[in-house]
Amino acid sequence: MQLWVGLGNPGAKYANNRHNIGFMALDRIAEDHGFAPWRGKFQGQVSEGRFGSTRVVLLKPETFMNLSGQSVRAAADFYKVDVSDITVFHDELDLAPGKCRLKQGGGHAGHNGLRSIHQHMSPDYARVRLGIGHPGHKDRVAGYVLNDFPKAEQEMLDDLLRGISDGAPALAAGDGSKFLNAVSLRVAPPRSSTGTKGPTKADTPAPQNAPQKKEATETRSPFDKLKDHFRK
């Protein structure tokens, strides 16, 4: 059994914020893979489903970001899930928008949601780091993460979320490379090969017999033309 946690803040005010990309990822997985309807539990919203024989519980803490660990701790205790079987989906300032990386354990890098989970669990959970880019200065970070994704990034965001959903079965099976490949195929699909171009209309050579026929007509003698006239 696995516990997948998406980080964000509850309420319509925050729904489309960069900080809520963890919620968005879990919503897409639940919708695409036929998980059970969301229900309130463990100070958050929970949905359950399966990928093959692997049972996965999705959790969106509603404690607000800074207290996310409370909700994760309650769910982990109830399901008796070890910290090594917890995967957290969260926004990552140090990755460009659209980038996705996996990480096992490590620090929280100042992310308040991860900081809270560290305090209530340990640092040894897995992370799906979802790039949102950096505003350029640390003083602008708070406003940046609490702003919505701009229209120019909506297509990128949709591709990223679809890729995460595509790769979810592989993630559940422990195949991180296959998961990341599924994301990449959505975000940066390989260019289709154009192959060898056929000749354009302008490049197509004229039939070889055409000039030959014209040349034969032009080289007939006046006498031959006169004979043709009387044959008609």
Side-chain angles (χ1 to χ4, degrees):
M1 180 177 178
Q2 298 181 28
L3 176 62
W4 291 3
V5 181
L7 296 185
N9 289 308
K13 176 182 177 181
Y14 303 100
N16 297 311
N17 286 181
R18 293 183 176 94
H19 222 18
N20 272 42
I21 195 171
F23 277 13
M24 297 175 196
L26 262 57
D27 283 337
R28 180 58 60 88
I29 291 170
E31 180 180 354
D32 289 353
H33 295 280
F35 274 48
W38 293 96
R39 69 185 192 279
K41 204 170 186 180
F42 313 121
Q43 303 176 66
Q45 292 291 317
V46 173
S47 177
E48 297 184 33
R50 288 184 177 274
F51 294 109
S53 60
T54 303
R55 181 185 177 193
V56 175
V57 175
L58 307 179
L59 171 66
K60 298 187 296 182
E62 293 186 311
T63 53
F64 285 93
M65 188 69 76
N66 295 3
L67 300 175
S68 298
Q70 294 180 6
S71 177
V72 176
R73 175 88 257 180
D77 287 348
F78 180 85
Y79 292 111
K80 296 180 173 58
V81 175
D82 189 78
V83 68
S84 62
D85 292 319
I86 297 175
T87 300
V88 178
F89 296 71
H90 66 91
D91 56 304
E92 178 60 69
L93 288 165
D94 293 332
L95 290 177
K99 297 294 183 181
C100 177
R101 296 289 185 271
L102 294 177
K103 183 177 181 180
Q104 184 72 43
H108 54 67
H111 191 292
N112 288 331
L114 300 184
R115 189 198 307 273
S116 179
I117 296 173
H118 274 47
Q119 293 170 351
H120 286 85
M121 301 296 298
S122 82
D124 300 327
Y125 53 90
R127 302 100 186 271
V128 177
R129 304 165 63 214
L130 306 174
I132 62 170
H134 198 285
H137 195 282
K138 63 180 182 179
D139 291 342
R140 297 173 55 199
V141 167
Y144 179 78
V145 299
L146 293 177
N147 276 335
D148 292 355
F149 283 95
K151 289 183 179 180
E153 293 182 357
Q154 287 301 316
E155 184 175 353
M156 170 279 298
L157 176 62
D158 188 60
D159 288 340
L160 176 61
L161 298 177
R162 288 179 184 278
I164 291 168
S165 179
D166 291 345
L171 185 66
D175 192 337
S177 296
K178 189 173 181 180
F179 167 74
L180 291 175
N181 186 59
V183 176
S184 180
L185 287 174
R186 285 285 189 177
V187 176
R191 294 181 179 179
S192 59
S193 175
T194 57
T196 303
K197 288 182 65 176
T200 63
K201 186 175 181 180
D203 295 332
T204 305
Q208 294 184 4
N209 62 339
Q212 292 173 354
K213 183 176 180 181
K214 184 178 181 182
E215 182 180 353
T217 302
E218 291 174 348
T219 57
R220 286 186 303 158
S221 69
F223 180 71
D224 290 333
K225 294 180 181 179
L226 186 61
K227 286 195 297 183
D228 289 342
H229 175 74
F230 283 107
R231 286 195 186 105
K232 294 180 180 178

